[in-house]
């Protein structure tokens, strides 16, 4: 992937995570109907985290 694209994607995912936390309604914490965007943002963050860790592991293996 292009470095600039990776940086933009990282900032967007982090922005989604922060905005999802900001929009989280604590009174209805486990309600998907109320907090659907917060849950979606958290899932996107987790998927991107797993993708990034796998990519970093591949790069480390290639350097050895």
């Amino acid at each position: 992937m292009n470095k600039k694209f990776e940086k933009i994607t990282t900032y967007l995912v982090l922005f989604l995570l922060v905005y999802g936390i900001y929009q989280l309604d604590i009174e209805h914490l486990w309600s998907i109907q109320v907090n659907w965007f917060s849950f979606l943002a958290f899932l996107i963050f987790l998927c991107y985290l797993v993708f990034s860790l796998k990519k970093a592991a591949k790069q480390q293996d290639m350097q050895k």
Side-chain angles (χ1 to χ4, degrees):
M1 272 213 256
N2 189 1
K3 292 285 185 186
K4 197 172 210 177
F5 179 73
E6 286 181 30
K7 189 179 278 191
I8 290 170
T9 305
T10 302
Y11 284 127
L12 283 175
V13 168
L14 291 176
F15 175 74
L16 275 176
L17 179 67
V18 170
Y19 188 71
I21 292 170
Y22 179 73
Q23 292 295 322
L24 186 66
D25 184 8
I26 296 296
E27 297 204 9
H28 303 101
L29 185 61
W30 298 110
S31 173
I32 293 177
Q33 295 169 339
V34 176
N35 292 320
W36 66 271
F37 186 80
S38 297
F39 288 130
L40 180 64
F42 185 66
L43 286 174
I44 290 171
F45 172 74
L46 285 179
C47 291
Y48 188 72
L49 181 66
V50 168
F51 169 76
S52 297
L53 290 174
K54 283 184 177 183
K55 184 178 174 197
K58 276 185 184 178
Q59 285 179 347
Q60 188 176 13
D61 287 343
M62 290 177 75
Q63 288 179 353
K64 286 185 178 181

